[in-house]
Amino acid sequence: MTDGKRSLTVIFEMDSVSGKCFTPCPHGKECMVYSAKCECCEHFFGLIEGTNIIKCTGERIEEQES
């Protein structure tokens, strides 16, 4: 899923037994994807049920007029 400029989903890896998250934030934030800190981020919009993919807008890009 994209908005024309950015991917709006992030695939992540985690240990299914311990729940430890292994995928660093692709948007440069200091957290792992789907960690507790990630879930509190303003850009996090939830897990796509039954997958290891979250909905995330990353950094919001302000529209610039030409």
Side-chain angles (χ1 to χ4, degrees):
M1 179 188 326
T2 65
D3 71 352
K5 297 177 185 170
R6 301 165 289 172
S7 173
L8 301 179
T9 58
V10 178
I11 298 172
F12 64 92
E13 291 183 33
M14 67 187 296
D15 185 297
S16 60
V17 176
S18 71
K20 181 173 178 161
C21 302
F22 298 127
T23 307
C25 175
H27 303 291
K29 298 190 185 322
E30 292 184 25
C31 65
M32 295 297 183
V33 175
Y34 203 53
S35 66
K37 187 173 180 181
C38 173
E39 289 187 59
C40 292
C41 178
E42 66 178 323
H43 305 295
F44 175 86
F45 289 96
L47 180 69
I48 296 175
E49 195 172 334
T51 70
N52 63 329
I53 301 171
I54 64 164
K55 291 178 275 183
C56 173
T57 62
E59 295 290 339
R60 285 188 165 77
I61 300 172
E62 291 184 22
E63 294 296 324
Q64 296 184 14
E65 293 183 26
S66 300

